[in-house]
Amino acid sequence: FETTSWMVLEVEKEGGQPRFVIIDGGNKNGLKRGFRGRLIERGRSIAEIEIVEVYDEGSRARIATELVDRITPQTAAEVAVPVNDTR
């Protein structure tokens, strides 16, 4: 597995609280439904995420734990993706 970093493009709220994020990595980048990762803000983890929908060039992830900081334009999503071993 290799940890990859993606931009958070959008935050979806329910009841005024962030519940999902849209990220710019998708099928073409090896992401799949069920992969887990985390949101990173200023070098520290602020929440765990789980990919729930995957499109060609983006994904929707559920925020799986309570946020410990706010999501900003600099927040990134890190997800571990399997690496093809061609050796």
Side-chain angles (χ1 to χ4, degrees), residues 21-35:
V21 291
I22 305 298
I23 63 175
D24 69 343
N27 282 333
K28 292 180 179 180
N29 309 106
L31 293 177
K32 296 189 187 306
R33 223 172 94 195
F35 282 13

Side-chain angles (χ1 to χ4, degrees), residues 3-87:
T3 300
T4 55
S5 185
W6 309 102
M7 285 179 38
V8 174
L9 302 174
E10 185 178 331
V11 178
E12 296 178 0
K13 294 182 178 183
E14 289 179 359
Q17 297 297 315
R19 298 288 184 219
F20 296 91
V21 291
I22 305 298
I23 63 175
D24 69 343
N27 282 333
K28 292 180 179 180
N29 309 106
L31 293 177
K32 296 189 187 306
R33 223 172 94 195
F35 282 13
R36 298 186 66 84
R38 59 193 184 147
L39 295 176
I40 303 294
E41 178 65 31
R42 295 185 302 267
R44 68 183 187 109
S45 178
I46 62 169
E48 292 181 18
I49 59 172
E50 178 182 359
I51 305 293
V52 293
E53 295 177 39
V54 183
Y55 317 104
D56 283 344
E57 297 183 9
S59 298
R60 182 173 185 244
R62 176 180 65 85
I63 299 171
T65 60
E66 186 174 330
L67 283 166
V68 297
D69 202 348
R70 63 188 186 95
I71 298 171
T72 73
Q74 290 74 38
T75 302
E78 287 187 348
V79 180
V81 178
V83 175
N84 291 334
D85 187 353
T86 57
R87 289 180 275 161

